[in-house]
Amino acid sequence: MVYILVWHKIADWDKWKPVFDKDEEERKSYGVNLRKLFRSVNDQNEIFCLFDAPDENAANACINRPHLKDLMQSAGVITEPVFKILNIS
């Protein structure tokens, strides 16, 4: 198992969250599951998502979906997202 940590800023939580929730089914088709969703204490529009994935290939396939960038833009993501694939050491 690996983990995916995603960071980005959004314009509006109420616009972003339903789009994020709707993407759950497709993420699960890659074996990717949400573990925790965080909002910064200092900036509620700064989002951190922690997912698990069965392996690095599944994680990369999910985060490199051709339409993911368009989906994130439609949800109101206003910064280039940062994706990190992590192991527990």
Side-chain angles (χ1 to χ4, degrees), residues 58-78:
N60 277 312
C62 186
I63 66 176
N64 289 306
R65 293 178 277 162
H67 60 279
L68 183 58
K69 186 172 185 170
D70 291 338
L71 180 67
M72 293 179 91
Q73 286 178 341
S74 74
V77 174
I78 58 174

Side-chain angles (χ1 to χ4, degrees), residues 42-62:
N42 296 323
D43 181 353
Q44 292 288 289
N45 288 327
E46 185 175 23
I47 305 298
F48 298 84
C49 307
L50 180 64
F51 302 94
D52 65 39
D55 55 43
E56 189 176 348
N57 289 334
N60 277 312
C62 186

Side-chain angles (χ1 to χ4, degrees), residues 17-58:
K17 185 69 164 69
V19 177
F20 176 80
D21 290 345
K22 188 175 180 186
D23 188 46
E24 180 179 14
E25 186 175 326
E26 186 171 356
R27 290 191 305 265
K28 285 188 176 212
S29 74
Y30 290 89
V32 173
N33 299 291
L34 179 66
R35 300 284 282 201
K36 296 285 181 182
L37 179 58
F38 303 93
R39 295 170 79 181
S40 173
V41 172
N42 296 323
D43 181 353
Q44 292 288 289
N45 288 327
E46 185 175 23
I47 305 298
F48 298 84
C49 307
L50 180 64
F51 302 94
D52 65 39
D55 55 43
E56 189 176 348
N57 289 334

